[in-house]
Amino acid sequence: MALTKEQIAQRIARELQSGYYVNLGIGIPTLVANYIPKGMDVVLQSENGLLGMGPFPTEEKVDADLINAGKQTITILPGTAFFDSAYSFGMIRSQRIDLTVLGAMEVSENGDIANWKIPGKLIKGMGGAMDLVASARNIIVTMMQTNPKGESKLLSNCSLPLTGKKCIQRVLTDLGFYIIHDGAFHLVEIAPGVTIDEIKAKTLGKLVVSADLKTIEV
Amino acid sequence: MALTKEQIAQRIARELQSGYYVNLGIGIPTLVANYIPKGMDVVLQSENGLLGMGPFPTEEKVDADLINAGKQTITILPGTAFFDSAYSFGMIRSQRIDLTVLGAMEVSENGDIANWKIPGKLIKGMGGAMDLVASARNIIVTMMQTNPKGESKLLSNCSLPLTGKKCIQRVLTDLGFYIIHDGAFHLVEIAPGVTIDEIKAKTLGKLVVSADLKTIEV
Amino acid sequence: MNKVVTNADEAVKDIPDNAVLMLGGFGLCGIPENSIAALIRKGVKGLTCISNNAGVDDFGIGLMLKTRQVKKMISSYVGENAEFERQLLSGELEVELIPQGTLATRCMMAGYGIPAFFTPAGVGTEIADGKETREFDGKEYLMEYAFKSDFAIVKAWKGDTAGNLIYRGTARNFNPMMAMAGEITIVEVEELVAEGELDPNEIHTPGIFVNRIFKGEKYEKRIEQRTISKQ
Amino acid sequence: MNKVVTNADEAVKDIPDNAVLMLGGFGLCGIPENSIAALIRKGVKGLTCISNNAGVDDFGIGLMLKTRQVKKMISSYVGENAEFERQLLSGELEVELIPQGTLATRCMMAGYGIPAFFTPAGVGTEIADGKETREFDGKEYLMEYAFKSDFAIVKAWKGDTAGNLIYRGTARNFNPMMAMAGEITIVEVEELVAEGELDPNEIHTPGIFVNRIFKGEKYEKRIEQRTISKQ
């Protein structure tokens, strides 16, 4: 069985460590916040200018001056700090973020990523994605393994315009967890009930199945 | 009669305009603060991190966390803002300071300035002088026209290591006020009682006496 | 040092057609609402707007798109705006997309008097086309330039008459860098106080960067994605 | 997020001989007094110190010069220190002088992840020797690099247990940039409070840059040039 979005978020949450500063992108990555283990000290950064993001507000606590990078209303936690956008990307570029989680349209076997532009479709912009992928040293890309047409999103070369080049080392899809090195997707964990044949059929880039392949606990 | 240090400071103060942000260097430039016309709105910047510097404190108001770039204890005025050193030199480089006044050891006829280092003597460092001379668009250099040995400090070429190249347009000495352009010191104002012969004798760089030479009012 | 002007119309009155403007805000958060309204009343045309986003159809810069006052947007993300899409597809509007960190830093560097700097954002992508690249410590970087702008229009929370500013929450975003980067900087605030009322330790933007300041008549503070907690 | 260590000795205990340190402060204002005392107790040697000044004979970095712990100073101004002069003239001490704005900006760029930038300071002087120059808009600039340092040691006024910092007055100076630039950042504060006690709008340095924080045992806050008004 392919992982659900919630199961993907849960698996990523297991990568968290106490003391981590984390940047979660829009979409599935945002869900990771729901699975931070109780008592674990993790601080969420939002690149529009805060550290210490809390949950969405109740109706009474909505404040137009408090939003996240997805423009959603949010709350803050004790210890929050606000700063400007240049400072925010300063801390991103100087690699103070311990874990960055973001979505993608395509990832290639050499770590290229495409997630901002589809030729022929309306372009909305890259936002902070190019800064994040070029700067962060610990990124997990999360996405479905195939697009709605059933085509693999793990490719030899990205077909879409790149967001970043040779910058992705880890990809978690609904089917498996891959480490990218030496020009190949190394499958290190597989979703329960998914077969290696299915993985092979849905991976266009070079695939290496790890000798000690584990099953993702759900 | 050559101008006194106080008269030099008074003459410079006549260059102030309401609304000016001003950076005054150590020595004679500091005295300019004493001659800001009453009611004129001038804000003093100190490059160690404040705008809105006030007079020296009374004994009871001394605060170790409030010093100027000369490391002297100071007070602040209503409207003061503190900032860090990088930000401070940011505003200097982006030319927000309307007038910068600093001392010098030598100035050359093409606007070079030397004021930080004497070979063979102990070097203390340039502090913020190189940033200031390279950045400010409106600088007045003030100094005695000759050194203690009676040698001119207005030269064809500086003999001392430079602080900045081709960056000085105006020099006020105890003898005269000079505008530097086209490779010459243009004497535009002369101290009362000083003769052009004395100026000539004490200027080694190319000298042009302005057609409408004025006497400095003291 | 009195930088106060009577209102938004006074503040923007000399902005000419074809000016390059910086406009603060992230989404609809921390945008200079009153100045945008004044620009629309003034009807100035052919504007180039450097702003992280382009507003929504009926708020923010979106209002200036509707009135066809904008020739070019320089932004990192321009979704959520149907009129924008229409003008872009019809060729009425030019758009230059820039990574968000690069956009913020190019504003900052203008304020810091640094003409160019190096960033890894966009290396190996179409953003790098025609740009100088350079390796430092084995990593590749692009050379990017400080922005130039004729006017920066920003929104702060509190300001004093000398132009010292304090921002609030995530409404800070691009405002402090843009405030430093305008040839002329115009600021609107929710609260305008006398010099000496703001704690000098708490000031985010010193007045030296501010040319004009006024208290905005009213703030709608539209929320783009009102998201409420389930419990 | 708890970054608190018990005291200065604990905070500096793993600083090895020959480390590159950044030390905050301008003159004797805003210097990490307690950490300097701990470095002297520890007796670590061969240090390279990036600091705007080198203290005076009996305070600040001057104390570490007396104990011969400093191999090299990287500063903008090093006057007011007789022992410093002696060591410099005898060749025991190396000194690299850097324009103050360049020094501050090289610290800042380290924190901003920008490896190199352009500044006009020092063009045409001996500071430019061996450096790349480049013209932008008809003006010449030097290319300067971000600093690297093993430890940054800074002093703030108030801090919380998560390392969020607020500075006071002109004791801010180099501290905020250095706090961003250390491979490990050590902070001493006059007041240490719980998370949530500091207003998030007023924080100058967010805790993400801080590795260790402690409350300094005592602050002498020596004044270098006590200057009193005549009236």
Side-chain angles (χ1 to χ4, degrees):
Chain A
M1 277 289 290
L3 301 182
T4 63
K5 287 180 180 182
E6 282 71 23
Q7 288 169 331
I8 290 175
Q10 283 170 40
R11 174 63 194 86
I12 290 172
R14 292 209 290 274
E15 296 295 309
L16 298 172
Q17 293 179 26
S18 205
Y20 263 25
Y21 291 92
V22 176
N23 182 294
L24 301 175
I26 294 166
I28 300 176
T30 301
L31 300 176
V32 174
N34 300 332
Y35 300 104
I36 299 170
K38 266 230 148 45
M40 183 180 277
D41 228 346
V42 166
V43 174
L44 300 180
Q45 195 244 23
S46 193
E47 66 264 27
N48 57 315
L50 86 157
L51 276 161
M53 184 164 49
F56 298 126
T58 54
E59 193 67 62
E60 314 81 66
K61 286 200 172 166
V62 167
D63 181 339
D65 291 338
L66 280 184
I67 65 168
N68 65 17
K71 284 139 196 162
Q72 297 169 307
T73 45
I74 47 135
T75 57
I76 57 170
L77 299 174
T80 287
F82 297 116
F83 34 84
D84 66 50
S85 301
Y87 197 92
S88 183
F89 282 94
M91 73 180 61
I92 288 166
R93 278 193 306 262
S94 70
Q95 307 196 322
R96 305 293 159 149
I97 308 296
D98 297 293
L99 178 63
T100 301
V101 184
L102 42 80
M105 299 168 183
E106 295 178 350
V107 176
S108 83
E109 63 193 26
N110 58 10
D112 297 351
I113 176 172
N115 72 352
W116 77 284
K117 184 176 181 180
I118 302 175
K121 286 213 180 173
L122 194 81
I123 299 150
K124 294 194 165 181
M126 70 292 282
M130 285 191 179
D131 307 272
L132 283 162
V133 300
S135 303
R137 57 186 155 183
N138 185 14
I139 303 175
I140 299 179
V141 165
T142 176
M143 59 183 187
M144 299 295 116
Q145 179 127 355
T146 55
N147 65 21
K149 292 187 213 157
E151 298 160 341
S152 177
K153 296 161 82 170
L154 301 180
L155 306 172
S156 301
N157 288 292
C158 292
S159 65
L160 297 171
L162 295 187
T163 307
K165 212 168 164 59
K166 291 188 187 172
C167 49
I168 306 303
Q169 277 98 42
R170 297 199 285 172
V171 182
L172 177 62
T173 74
D174 52 334
L175 304 186
F177 200 171
Y178 305 84
I179 294 178
I180 299 173
H181 62 82
D182 298 319
F185 295 101
H186 294 255
L187 178 71
V188 292
E189 296 182 26
I190 190 165
V194 170
T195 64
I196 295 196
D197 281 346
E198 182 178 358
I199 296 273
K200 282 181 177 166
K202 292 180 172 171
T203 305
L204 281 175
K206 189 171 171 194
L207 178 72
V208 176
V209 178
S210 171
D212 61 341
L213 180 67
K214 292 185 176 64
T215 299
I216 297 172
E217 283 175 48
V218 292
Chain B
M1 277 287 292
L3 301 182
T4 62
K5 288 180 180 182
E6 283 70 24
Q7 288 169 330
I8 292 176
Q10 282 169 41
R11 174 62 193 88
I12 290 172
R14 292 210 290 274
E15 296 296 310
L16 297 172
Q17 293 179 25
S18 204
Y20 263 25
Y21 292 92
V22 176
N23 181 295
L24 301 175
I26 293 165
I28 300 176
T30 301
L31 299 176
V32 174
N34 301 333
Y35 300 103
I36 300 170
K38 268 230 150 42
M40 184 181 277
D41 227 346
V42 166
V43 174
L44 299 181
Q45 196 245 22
S46 192
E47 65 265 27
N48 58 314
L50 86 156
L51 276 162
M53 184 161 52
F56 298 126
T58 55
E59 194 67 63
E60 316 81 66
K61 284 200 173 165
V62 166
D63 181 338
D65 292 338
L66 279 185
I67 64 169
N68 65 17
K71 284 139 195 162
Q72 298 169 306
T73 44
I74 47 135
T75 56
I76 58 170
L77 300 173
T80 287
F82 297 116
F83 35 84
D84 66 50
S85 300
Y87 197 90
S88 183
F89 282 93
M91 73 180 62
I92 288 168
R93 277 192 308 260
S94 69
Q95 307 195 320
R96 305 293 160 149
I97 308 295
D98 298 293
L99 176 65
T100 300
V101 185
L102 41 80
M105 300 168 182
E106 295 179 350
V107 176
S108 83
E109 64 192 24
N110 59 10
D112 298 350
I113 176 171
N115 71 353
W116 77 283
K117 185 177 180 179
I118 302 176
K121 285 213 180 174
L122 195 82
I123 299 150
K124 294 194 165 182
M126 68 293 281
M130 285 191 180
D131 307 272
L132 283 162
V133 300
S135 302
R137 59 187 154 180
N138 184 14
I139 302 175
I140 298 180
V141 166
T142 176
M143 58 182 188
M144 298 296 114
Q145 180 128 350
T146 56
N147 65 22
K149 294 186 215 158
E151 298 160 341
S152 175
K153 296 162 82 171
L154 300 180
L155 306 171
S156 299
N157 288 292
C158 292
S159 65
L160 298 171
L162 295 186
T163 307
K165 212 170 164 56
K166 291 188 189 172
C167 48
I168 306 303
Q169 277 98 41
R170 296 198 286 172
V171 182
L172 176 64
T173 74
D174 51 335
L175 305 185
F177 201 170
Y178 304 84
I179 295 177
I180 299 173
H181 62 82
D182 298 320
F185 295 101
H186 295 256
L187 179 72
V188 292
E189 297 181 27
I190 190 163
V194 171
T195 64
I196 296 202
D197 281 344
E198 183 178 359
I199 295 272
K200 281 182 178 164
K202 293 181 173 170
T203 305
L204 281 175
K206 188 172 174 196
L207 177 72
V208 175
V209 178
S210 171
D212 61 339
L213 180 66
K214 293 185 176 65
T215 299
I216 297 173
E217 284 175 48
V218 293
Chain C
M1 201 68 88
N2 193 346
K3 313 277 180 84
V4 178
V5 295
T6 48
N7 57 30
D9 297 290
E10 183 69 18
V12 306
K13 73 173 178 194
D14 59 348
I15 297 182
D17 286 353
N18 303 308
V20 178
L21 308 186
M22 286 181 173
L23 291 133
F26 180 93
L28 302 179
C29 182
I31 62 172
E33 301 183 19
N34 291 277
S35 302
I36 290 171
L39 286 169
I40 291 166
R41 283 193 294 273
K42 180 173 157 63
V44 58
K45 297 255 187 275
L47 299 171
T48 295
C49 295
I50 301 171
S51 181
N52 190 56
N53 311 93
V56 295
D57 273 318
D58 59 349
F59 205 65
I61 294 175
L63 296 169
M64 293 202 290
L65 292 167
K66 210 175 250 174
T67 48
R68 314 278 181 87
Q69 293 177 262
V70 181
K71 181 176 67 183
K72 183 176 179 179
M73 285 299 313
I74 298 177
S75 304
S76 87
Y77 191 81
V78 292
E80 350 292 4
N81 194 320
E83 175 63 14
F84 184 95
E85 278 190 39
R86 196 198 58 69
Q87 290 186 25
L88 184 59
L89 294 172
S90 70
E92 290 165 67
L93 181 68
E94 236 182 294
V95 176
E96 186 179 343
L97 293 168
I98 293 182
Q100 196 174 131
T102 302
L103 186 78
T105 311
R106 290 179 66 185
C107 295
M108 183 181 90
M109 292 301 179
Y112 273 75
I114 293 175
F117 62 98
F118 294 91
T119 174
V123 167
T125 75
E126 64 183 51
I127 294 303
D129 290 352
K131 284 183 187 152
E132 186 172 330
T133 64
R134 189 144 175 165
E135 211 178 284
F136 296 97
D137 275 335
K139 183 166 175 165
E140 210 179 336
Y141 293 81
L142 300 185
M143 191 168 91
E144 297 279 4
Y145 294 87
F147 276 124
K148 289 187 203 326
S149 74
D150 301 314
F151 293 84
I153 306 178
V154 311
K155 152 78 172 42
W157 178 34
K158 294 181 186 174
D160 70 18
T161 53
N164 292 304
L165 307 178
I166 296 177
Y167 307 92
R168 181 170 178 274
T170 56
R172 194 183 312 185
N173 56 64
F174 284 80
N175 285 300
M177 293 86 70
M178 290 182 171
M180 300 173 74
E183 191 58 36
I184 299 283
T185 292
I186 297 167
V187 181
E188 57 175 84
V189 294
E190 292 178 55
E191 260 182 68
L192 184 59
V193 302
E195 279 189 85
E197 296 282 305
L198 303 178
D199 182 331
N201 278 311
E202 295 174 12
I203 289 167
H204 297 128
T205 299
I208 193 171
F209 288 107
V210 174
N211 300 87
R212 303 167 195 172
I213 188 167
F214 67 94
K215 183 177 179 317
E217 209 167 70
K218 77 180 236 300
Y219 284 95
E220 179 181 339
K221 292 202 190 182
R222 182 89 62 94
I223 291 172
E224 206 164 336
Q225 304 280 349
R226 180 179 293 266
T227 312
I228 303 296
S229 181
K230 283 156 204 161
Q231 65 260 38
Chain D
M1 201 67 86
N2 191 346
K3 313 276 179 85
V4 178
V5 294
T6 49
N7 57 31
D9 297 290
E10 182 69 19
V12 306
K13 73 172 180 195
D14 59 348
I15 297 183
D17 285 353
N18 303 309
V20 178
L21 308 185
M22 286 180 173
L23 290 132
F26 181 92
L28 301 179
C29 183
I31 62 172
E33 301 184 18
N34 291 276
S35 301
I36 289 171
L39 285 169
I40 291 166
R41 284 194 292 276
K42 182 173 155 63
V44 58
K45 297 256 186 277
L47 298 172
T48 295
C49 295
I50 301 170
S51 181
N52 190 57
N53 312 93
V56 294
D57 273 319
D58 59 348
F59 206 65
I61 293 176
L63 297 169
M64 294 202 289
L65 292 168
K66 211 174 249 173
T67 49
R68 314 280 180 86
Q69 293 177 263
V70 181
K71 181 176 66 184
K72 183 175 181 180
M73 285 300 312
I74 299 176
S75 303
S76 87
Y77 190 81
V78 293
E80 348 295 4
N81 194 319
E83 174 64 12
F84 184 94
E85 280 189 37
R86 197 198 58 71
Q87 290 186 24
L88 185 59
L89 294 172
S90 70
E92 290 165 68
L93 182 67
E94 236 182 294
V95 175
E96 186 180 342
L97 292 169
I98 293 181
Q100 195 173 132
T102 301
L103 187 78
T105 311
R106 290 180 65 186
C107 294
M108 183 182 91
M109 292 300 179
Y112 274 74
I114 292 174
F117 63 98
F118 294 91
T119 175
V123 167
T125 75
E126 62 183 53
I127 294 304
D129 289 352
K131 283 182 187 153
E132 186 172 332
T133 64
R134 191 149 173 160
E135 212 179 283
F136 296 96
D137 274 336
K139 182 166 176 165
E140 210 181 335
Y141 294 81
L142 300 184
M143 190 168 91
E144 297 279 3
Y145 293 87
F147 276 125
K148 288 185 204 327
S149 75
D150 301 314
F151 293 85
I153 306 179
V154 312
K155 152 77 173 41
W157 178 34
K158 294 180 185 173
D160 70 18
T161 54
N164 293 303
L165 307 178
I166 296 176
Y167 308 92
R168 180 170 179 275
T170 57
R172 194 183 312 184
N173 57 63
F174 284 79
N175 286 299
M177 293 85 72
M178 289 184 172
M180 299 172 75
E183 189 58 35
I184 300 284
T185 292
I186 296 167
V187 181
E188 57 175 85
V189 293
E190 293 179 54
E191 257 183 71
L192 184 59
V193 301
E195 279 188 84
E197 296 281 304
L198 303 179
D199 183 330
N201 277 311
E202 295 174 11
I203 289 167
H204 296 128
T205 299
I208 191 171
F209 289 107
V210 174
N211 300 89
R212 302 167 195 170
I213 188 167
F214 67 94
K215 183 177 179 319
E217 210 167 68
K218 76 179 237 303
Y219 284 96
E220 180 181 337
K221 293 202 190 181
R222 182 87 63 93
I223 292 173
E224 207 165 336
Q225 305 281 349
R226 179 181 293 267
T227 312
I228 302 296
S229 182
K230 284 156 204 163
Q231 65 262 42

